[in-house]
Amino acid sequence: MRILILSDIHANFTALEAALAKAAGRWDVAVCLGDIVGYGPDPAEVSEKIRGLTQACIRGNHDKAVAGIMSTEDFNPVAKAAVDWTRSQLSPELMKWLAELPQGPMASNGIVMVHGAFQDEDEYVFTPAQALEGLLDSTAGVTFFGHTHHQGGFSYLDNNLEVLQIRPRAAEFFAPLRIEPNKRYLLNPGSIGQPRDADPRASFAIADLDNQTVEFWRVPYEIGKVQSRMRKAGLPEPLVQRLEFGR
Ligand code: ZN
């Protein structure tokens, strides 16, 4: 079973389409770790696509904010403006779908999915100390998380926690990670729609646990097209510009 793992799509349909085109024929089921909407110009298109494509999908903080089940008090003004605009673009049906997305952790196809941290869906996992809880507490050996928009992750065996720096080079589309028996993993596929790890290419992962492999993918897309739709929609300029830097 090959699982396509998508996260933090953030209403970027061009990036999602580019990723799906490259991944075509390489996966059996698709799952999503949340933040389907927010920031980008295509919330309705992306929500429709993810609703039809994924077998399992959990919510992210932006999905909650747009659906009105989380206050935007803690959001910065730029993210809040995007939330308000996103609401104006979604049909009642899609708003309802977003509002009813389940909360992680969720077990699916032999992996566990969370948006942020294992015990707190809104917490960012950047450091080994933050990763330890999820590595120890998750009910699966391989857990996927999103939220930080940084591709990579952590592994754990016999009190030894390792930071995994896995990233395809500029000329490559994916870098494989070998999954070792008994080791525990907390892995981030990266963000489709707004990468923040200095590589602007759309990121995702494909897990094939029967063959002990997780591939970390990066796919270029037409960033300029997305930026012009964002400007036309009046979305905040910092959100427009960060796409080309991957920051
Ligand atoms: Zn996000």
Side-chain angles (χ1 to χ4, degrees), residues 155-200:
S155 69
Y156 183 86
L157 179 68
D158 297 336
N159 290 319
N160 183 28
L161 197 159
E162 259 179 77
V163 178
L164 304 170
Q165 298 279 12
I166 329 144
R167 199 135 4 122
R169 293 152 178 264
E172 291 165 349
F173 288 120
F174 73 88
L177 170 71
R178 179 124 196 105
I179 300 297
E180 292 171 39
N182 305 322
K183 240 185 197 180
R184 299 180 71 80
Y185 295 85
L186 188 60
L187 303 175
N188 193 323
S191 166
I192 291 277
Q194 196 202 74
R196 295 177 189 162
D197 50 9
D199 182 342

CSV table of all heavy atoms in Angstrom, one decimal, residues 155-200:
chain,number,residue,atom,x,y,z
A,155,SER,N,13.7,10.6,14.1
A,155,SER,CA,13.6,9.1,14.4
A,155,SER,C,14.1,8.8,15.8
A,155,SER,O,14.8,9.6,16.4
A,155,SER,CB,14.4,8.3,13.4
A,155,SER,OG,15.8,8.5,13.6
A,156,TYR,N,13.7,7.7,16.3
A,156,TYR,CA,14.0,7.4,17.7
A,156,TYR,C,14.2,5.9,17.9
A,156,TYR,O,13.4,5.1,17.4
A,156,TYR,CB,12.8,7.8,18.6
A,156,TYR,CG,13.1,7.6,20.1
A,156,TYR,CD1,13.8,8.6,20.8
A,156,TYR,CD2,12.7,6.5,20.7
A,156,TYR,CE1,14.0,8.4,22.2
A,156,TYR,CE2,12.9,6.3,22.1
A,156,TYR,CZ,13.6,7.2,22.8
A,156,TYR,OH,13.8,7.1,24.2
A,157,LEU,N,15.3,5.5,18.5
A,157,LEU,CA,15.6,4.1,18.9
A,157,LEU,C,16.5,4.1,20.1
A,157,LEU,O,17.5,4.8,20.1
A,157,LEU,CB,16.2,3.4,17.7
A,157,LEU,CG,16.6,1.9,17.9
A,157,LEU,CD1,15.3,1.1,18.1
A,157,LEU,CD2,17.4,1.4,16.7
A,158,ASP,N,16.2,3.3,21.1
A,158,ASP,CA,17.0,3.2,22.3
A,158,ASP,C,17.5,4.5,22.9
A,158,ASP,O,18.8,4.7,23.0
A,158,ASP,CB,18.2,2.3,21.9
A,158,ASP,CG,17.8,0.9,21.6
A,158,ASP,OD1,16.7,0.4,22.0
A,158,ASP,OD2,18.6,0.2,20.8
A,159,ASN,N,16.6,5.4,23.2
A,159,ASN,CA,17.0,6.7,23.8
A,159,ASN,C,17.9,7.5,22.9
A,159,ASN,O,18.5,8.5,23.3
A,159,ASN,CB,17.8,6.5,25.1
A,159,ASN,CG,16.9,6.0,26.2
A,159,ASN,OD1,15.7,6.4,26.3
A,159,ASN,ND2,17.3,5.0,27.0
A,160,ASN,N,17.9,7.2,21.6
A,160,ASN,CA,18.6,8.0,20.7
A,160,ASN,C,17.7,8.7,19.7
A,160,ASN,O,17.1,8.0,18.8
A,160,ASN,CB,19.7,7.1,20.0
A,160,ASN,CG,20.6,8.0,19.0
A,160,ASN,OD1,20.8,9.1,19.3
A,160,ASN,ND2,21.0,7.3,18.0
A,161,LEU,N,17.6,10.0,19.8
A,161,LEU,CA,16.7,10.8,18.9
A,161,LEU,C,17.5,11.4,17.8
A,161,LEU,O,18.5,12.1,18.1
A,161,LEU,CB,15.9,11.8,19.7
A,161,LEU,CG,14.7,12.4,19.0
A,161,LEU,CD1,13.8,13.0,20.1
A,161,LEU,CD2,15.0,13.5,18.0
A,162,GLU,N,17.2,11.2,16.6
A,162,GLU,CA,17.9,11.7,15.4
A,162,GLU,C,17.1,12.7,14.7
A,162,GLU,O,15.9,12.5,14.4
A,162,GLU,CB,18.3,10.6,14.4
A,162,GLU,CG,19.7,10.1,14.5
A,162,GLU,CD,19.9,9.0,13.5
A,162,GLU,OE1,20.1,9.3,12.3
A,162,GLU,OE2,19.9,7.8,13.9
A,163,VAL,N,17.7,13.8,14.2
A,163,VAL,CA,17.0,14.8,13.3
A,163,VAL,C,17.3,14.3,11.9
A,163,VAL,O,18.4,14.0,11.6
A,163,VAL,CB,17.5,16.2,13.5
A,163,VAL,CG1,16.9,17.1,12.6
A,163,VAL,CG2,17.3,16.6,15.0
A,164,LEU,N,16.2,14.2,11.1
A,164,LEU,CA,16.4,13.7,9.8
A,164,LEU,C,16.4,14.8,8.8
A,164,LEU,O,15.4,15.5,8.6
A,164,LEU,CB,15.3,12.7,9.4
A,164,LEU,CG,15.1,11.5,10.4
A,164,LEU,CD1,13.8,10.7,10.1
A,164,LEU,CD2,16.3,10.6,10.2
A,165,GLN,N,17.5,15.0,8.1
A,165,GLN,CA,17.6,16.1,7.1
A,165,GLN,C,17.5,15.5,5.8
A,165,GLN,O,18.5,15.1,5.2
A,165,GLN,CB,19.0,16.8,7.2
A,165,GLN,CG,19.2,17.5,8.5
A,165,GLN,CD,18.5,18.9,8.6
A,165,GLN,OE1,17.7,19.2,7.8
A,165,GLN,NE2,18.9,19.7,9.6
A,166,ILE,N,16.3,15.3,5.3
A,166,ILE,CA,16.1,14.6,4.0
A,166,ILE,C,15.4,15.7,3.1
A,166,ILE,O,14.4,16.1,3.4
A,166,ILE,CB,15.1,13.5,4.1
A,166,ILE,CG1,15.2,12.8,5.5
A,166,ILE,CG2,15.4,12.5,3.0
A,166,ILE,CD1,13.9,12.3,5.9
A,167,ARG,N,16.1,16.0,2.0
A,167,ARG,CA,15.5,16.9,1.1
A,167,ARG,C,16.1,16.6,-0.3
A,167,ARG,O,17.3,16.5,-0.4
A,167,ARG,CB,15.8,18.3,1.5
A,167,ARG,CG,14.9,19.3,0.9
A,167,ARG,CD,14.3,20.4,1.8
A,167,ARG,NE,14.6,20.6,3.1
A,167,ARG,CZ,15.1,21.7,3.6
A,167,ARG,NH1,15.3,22.7,2.8
A,167,ARG,NH2,15.3,21.9,4.9
A,168,PRO,N,15.2,16.5,-1.3
A,168,PRO,CA,15.7,16.3,-2.6
A,168,PRO,C,16.5,17.5,-3.1
A,168,PRO,O,16.1,18.7,-2.8
A,168,PRO,CB,14.5,16.1,-3.5
A,168,PRO,CG,13.3,16.1,-2.6
A,168,PRO,CD,13.7,16.5,-1.2
A,169,ARG,N,17.6,17.3,-3.8
A,169,ARG,CA,18.4,18.4,-4.3
A,169,ARG,C,17.6,19.1,-5.4
A,169,ARG,O,16.6,18.6,-5.9
A,169,ARG,CB,19.7,17.9,-4.9
A,169,ARG,CG,20.7,17.4,-3.9
A,169,ARG,CD,21.5,16.3,-4.6
A,169,ARG,NE,22.5,15.8,-3.6
A,169,ARG,CZ,23.8,16.2,-3.5
A,169,ARG,NH1,24.2,17.2,-4.3
A,169,ARG,NH2,24.6,15.7,-2.7
A,170,ALA,N,18.1,20.3,-5.8
A,170,ALA,CA,17.4,21.1,-6.8
A,170,ALA,C,17.1,20.3,-8.1
A,170,ALA,O,16.1,20.5,-8.7
A,170,ALA,CB,18.2,22.3,-7.1
A,171,ALA,N,18.0,19.4,-8.5
A,171,ALA,CA,17.8,18.7,-9.8
A,171,ALA,C,17.0,17.4,-9.6
A,171,ALA,O,16.8,16.7,-10.6
A,171,ALA,CB,19.2,18.4,-10.4
A,172,GLU,N,16.6,17.1,-8.4
A,172,GLU,CA,15.9,15.8,-8.1
A,172,GLU,C,14.5,16.1,-7.6
A,172,GLU,O,14.2,17.1,-7.0
A,172,GLU,CB,16.7,15.0,-7.0
A,172,GLU,CG,18.0,14.5,-7.4
A,172,GLU,CD,18.9,14.1,-6.2
A,172,GLU,OE1,18.5,14.3,-5.1
A,172,GLU,OE2,19.9,13.4,-6.5
A,173,PHE,N,13.6,15.1,-7.9
A,173,PHE,CA,12.3,15.2,-7.5
A,173,PHE,C,12.0,14.6,-6.1
A,173,PHE,O,11.1,15.0,-5.4
A,173,PHE,CB,11.3,14.6,-8.5
A,173,PHE,CG,11.2,15.4,-9.8
A,173,PHE,CD1,11.6,14.9,-11.0
A,173,PHE,CD2,10.8,16.8,-9.7
A,173,PHE,CE1,11.5,15.7,-12.1
A,173,PHE,CE2,10.7,17.5,-10.8
A,173,PHE,CZ,11.0,17.0,-12.1
A,174,PHE,N,12.8,13.5,-5.8
A,174,PHE,CA,12.5,13.0,-4.4
A,174,PHE,C,13.8,12.4,-3.8
A,174,PHE,O,14.7,12.1,-4.5
A,174,PHE,CB,11.4,11.9,-4.5
A,174,PHE,CG,11.7,10.6,-5.1
A,174,PHE,CD1,12.3,9.6,-4.4
A,174,PHE,CD2,11.5,10.4,-6.5
A,174,PHE,CE1,12.6,8.4,-5.0
A,174,PHE,CE2,11.8,9.2,-7.1
A,174,PHE,CZ,12.3,8.2,-6.3
A,175,ALA,N,13.8,12.3,-2.5
A,175,ALA,CA,14.8,11.7,-1.7
A,175,ALA,C,14.2,10.6,-0.9
A,175,ALA,O,13.2,10.8,-0.2
A,175,ALA,CB,15.5,12.7,-0.9
A,176,PRO,N,14.7,9.3,-0.9
A,176,PRO,CA,14.1,8.3,-0.2
A,176,PRO,C,14.7,8.1,1.2
A,176,PRO,O,15.8,8.4,1.5
A,176,PRO,CB,14.4,7.0,-1.0
A,176,PRO,CG,15.7,7.4,-1.7
A,176,PRO,CD,15.7,8.9,-1.8
A,177,LEU,N,13.8,7.7,2.2
A,177,LEU,CA,14.3,7.4,3.5
A,177,LEU,C,14.0,5.9,3.8
A,177,LEU,O,12.8,5.5,3.5
A,177,LEU,CB,13.5,8.3,4.5
A,177,LEU,CG,13.7,7.9,6.0
A,177,LEU,CD1,15.1,8.2,6.5
A,177,LEU,CD2,12.6,8.6,6.9
A,178,ARG,N,14.9,5.2,4.2
A,178,ARG,CA,14.7,3.8,4.6
A,178,ARG,C,14.2,3.6,6.0
A,178,ARG,O,14.7,4.2,6.9
A,178,ARG,CB,16.0,3.0,4.4
A,178,ARG,CG,16.0,1.6,4.7
A,178,ARG,CD,16.5,0.7,3.5
A,178,ARG,NE,16.1,-0.6,3.7
A,178,ARG,CZ,15.1,-1.2,3.0
A,178,ARG,NH1,14.5,-0.5,2.0
A,178,ARG,NH2,14.8,-2.4,3.2
A,179,ILE,N,13.0,3.0,6.1
A,179,ILE,CA,12.4,2.8,7.4
A,179,ILE,C,13.0,1.6,8.1
A,179,ILE,O,12.8,0.5,7.5
A,179,ILE,CB,10.9,2.7,7.3
A,179,ILE,CG1,10.3,4.0,6.6
A,179,ILE,CG2,10.2,2.5,8.6
A,179,ILE,CD1,10.5,5.3,7.4
A,180,GLU,N,13.6,1.7,9.2
A,180,GLU,CA,14.2,0.6,9.9
A,180,GLU,C,13.3,0.0,10.9
A,180,GLU,O,12.6,0.7,11.6
A,180,GLU,CB,15.5,1.0,10.6
A,180,GLU,CG,16.6,1.4,9.6
A,180,GLU,CD,17.8,2.0,10.2
A,180,GLU,OE1,18.2,1.6,11.3
A,180,GLU,OE2,18.3,3.0,9.7
A,181,PRO,N,13.3,-1.4,11.0
A,181,PRO,CA,12.4,-2.0,12.0
A,181,PRO,C,12.8,-1.6,13.4
A,181,PRO,O,13.9,-1.3,13.7
A,181,PRO,CB,12.7,-3.5,11.8
A,181,PRO,CG,13.9,-3.6,10.9
A,181,PRO,CD,14.1,-2.3,10.2
A,182,ASN,N,11.8,-1.4,14.3
A,182,ASN,CA,11.9,-1.0,15.7
A,182,ASN,C,12.1,0.5,15.9
A,182,ASN,O,11.9,1.0,16.9
A,182,ASN,CB,13.0,-1.8,16.4
A,182,ASN,CG,12.8,-3.3,16.3
A,182,ASN,OD1,11.7,-3.8,16.3
A,182,ASN,ND2,13.9,-4.0,16.1
A,183,LYS,N,12.7,1.1,14.9
A,183,LYS,CA,12.8,2.6,15.0
A,183,LYS,C,11.4,3.3,14.9
A,183,LYS,O,10.6,2.8,14.2
A,183,LYS,CB,13.7,3.1,13.9
A,183,LYS,CG,14.9,3.8,14.3
A,183,LYS,CD,15.7,4.4,13.2
A,183,LYS,CE,17.1,4.7,13.7
A,183,LYS,NZ,18.0,5.3,12.7
A,184,ARG,N,11.3,4.4,15.6
A,184,ARG,CA,10.0,5.1,15.5
A,184,ARG,C,10.3,6.4,14.8
A,184,ARG,O,11.4,7.0,14.8
A,184,ARG,CB,9.5,5.5,16.9
A,184,ARG,CG,9.2,4.2,17.7
A,184,ARG,CD,8.7,4.5,19.1
A,184,ARG,NE,7.4,5.1,19.1
A,184,ARG,CZ,6.2,4.4,19.0
A,184,ARG,NH1,6.3,3.0,18.8
A,184,ARG,NH2,5.1,4.9,19.0
A,185,TYR,N,9.3,6.9,14.0
A,185,TYR,CA,9.5,8.0,13.1
A,185,TYR,C,8.4,9.0,13.3
A,185,TYR,O,7.2,8.7,13.4
A,185,TYR,CB,9.5,7.6,11.7
A,185,TYR,CG,10.7,6.7,11.3
A,185,TYR,CD1,10.6,5.3,11.5
A,185,TYR,CD2,11.9,7.2,10.8
A,185,TYR,CE1,11.7,4.5,11.2
A,185,TYR,CE2,13.0,6.4,10.5
A,185,TYR,CZ,12.9,5.1,10.7
A,185,TYR,OH,14.0,4.3,10.4
A,186,LEU,N,8.8,10.3,13.3
A,186,LEU,CA,7.9,11.4,13.2
A,186,LEU,C,8.3,12.2,12.0
A,186,LEU,O,9.3,12.9,12.0
A,186,LEU,CB,8.0,12.2,14.5
A,186,LEU,CG,6.9,13.3,14.7
A,186,LEU,CD1,5.5,12.8,14.8
A,186,LEU,CD2,7.2,14.1,16.1
A,187,LEU,N,7.5,12.2,10.9
A,187,LEU,CA,7.9,12.7,9.6
A,187,LEU,C,7.0,13.8,9.1
A,187,LEU,O,5.7,13.7,9.2
A,187,LEU,CB,8.0,11.5,8.6
A,187,LEU,CG,8.9,10.4,9.0
A,187,LEU,CD1,8.7,9.2,8.0
A,187,LEU,CD2,10.3,10.8,9.1
A,188,ASN,N,7.6,14.8,8.5
A,188,ASN,CA,6.8,15.9,7.9
A,188,ASN,C,6.9,15.9,6.4
A,188,ASN,O,8.1,16.0,5.9
A,188,ASN,CB,7.3,17.2,8.5
A,188,ASN,CG,6.3,18.4,8.3
A,188,ASN,OD1,5.7,18.4,7.2
A,188,ASN,ND2,6.2,19.3,9.2
A,189,PRO,N,5.8,15.7,5.7
A,189,PRO,CA,5.9,15.7,4.2
A,189,PRO,C,6.3,17.1,3.7
A,189,PRO,O,6.6,17.2,2.5
A,189,PRO,CB,4.5,15.3,3.8
A,189,PRO,CG,3.6,15.8,4.9
A,189,PRO,CD,4.4,15.6,6.2
A,190,GLY,N,6.2,18.1,4.5
A,190,GLY,CA,6.4,19.5,4.0
A,190,GLY,C,5.0,20.0,3.5
A,190,GLY,O,4.0,19.4,3.6
A,191,SER,N,5.0,21.3,3.0
A,191,SER,CA,3.8,21.9,2.6
A,191,SER,C,3.7,22.0,1.1
A,191,SER,O,4.6,22.3,0.4
A,191,SER,CB,3.8,23.4,3.2
A,191,SER,OG,2.8,24.2,2.5
A,192,ILE,N,2.5,21.6,0.6
A,192,ILE,CA,2.2,21.8,-0.8
A,192,ILE,C,2.2,23.3,-1.2
A,192,ILE,O,2.8,23.7,-2.1
A,192,ILE,CB,0.8,21.1,-1.2
A,192,ILE,CG1,0.9,19.6,-1.0
A,192,ILE,CG2,0.4,21.6,-2.5
A,192,ILE,CD1,1.4,18.9,-2.2
A,193,GLY,N,1.4,24.0,-0.5
A,193,GLY,CA,1.0,25.4,-1.0
A,193,GLY,C,1.8,26.5,-0.4
A,193,GLY,O,1.7,27.6,-1.0
A,194,GLN,N,2.6,26.3,0.6
A,194,GLN,CA,3.4,27.5,1.1
A,194,GLN,C,4.6,26.9,1.9
A,194,GLN,O,4.7,27.1,3.1
A,194,GLN,CB,2.6,28.4,2.1
A,194,GLN,CG,3.2,29.7,2.3
A,194,GLN,CD,2.6,30.3,3.6
A,194,GLN,OE1,3.0,29.9,4.7
A,194,GLN,NE2,1.8,31.3,3.5
A,195,PRO,N,5.6,26.3,1.2
A,195,PRO,CA,6.8,25.8,1.9
A,195,PRO,C,7.6,26.9,2.6
A,195,PRO,O,7.6,28.1,2.1
A,195,PRO,CB,7.7,25.3,0.7
A,195,PRO,CG,6.7,25.0,-0.4
A,195,PRO,CD,5.6,26.1,-0.2
A,196,ARG,N,8.1,26.6,3.8
A,196,ARG,CA,8.9,27.6,4.5
A,196,ARG,C,10.3,27.1,4.9
A,196,ARG,O,10.9,27.6,5.8
A,196,ARG,CB,8.1,27.9,5.8
A,196,ARG,CG,6.8,28.6,5.6
A,196,ARG,CD,6.1,28.8,6.9
A,196,ARG,NE,4.7,29.2,6.7
A,196,ARG,CZ,3.7,29.1,7.6
A,196,ARG,NH1,4.0,28.6,8.8
A,196,ARG,NH2,2.5,29.5,7.4
A,197,ASP,N,10.8,26.1,4.2
A,197,ASP,CA,12.1,25.6,4.5
A,197,ASP,C,13.1,26.0,3.4
A,197,ASP,O,14.1,25.3,3.2
A,197,ASP,CB,12.1,24.1,4.7
A,197,ASP,CG,11.4,23.4,3.6
A,197,ASP,OD1,11.1,24.0,2.5
A,197,ASP,OD2,11.1,22.2,3.7
A,198,ALA,N,12.9,27.2,2.8
A,198,ALA,CA,13.9,27.8,1.9
A,198,ALA,C,13.9,27.1,0.5
A,198,ALA,O,14.7,27.4,-0.3
A,198,ALA,CB,15.3,27.8,2.4
A,199,ASP,N,13.0,26.2,0.2
A,199,ASP,CA,12.8,25.6,-1.1
A,199,ASP,C,11.4,25.8,-1.5
A,199,ASP,O,10.5,25.3,-0.9
A,199,ASP,CB,13.1,24.1,-1.0
A,199,ASP,CG,13.1,23.4,-2.3
A,199,ASP,OD1,12.5,23.9,-3.3
A,199,ASP,OD2,13.6,22.3,-2.4
A,200,PRO,N,11.2,26.7,-2.5
A,200,PRO,CA,9.8,27.1,-2.9
A,200,PRO,C,9.0,26.0,-3.6
A,200,PRO,O,7.8,26.1,-3.8
A,200,PRO,CB,10.0,28.3,-3.8
A,200,PRO,CG,11.3,28.1,-4.4
A,200,PRO,CD,12.2,27.4,-3.3
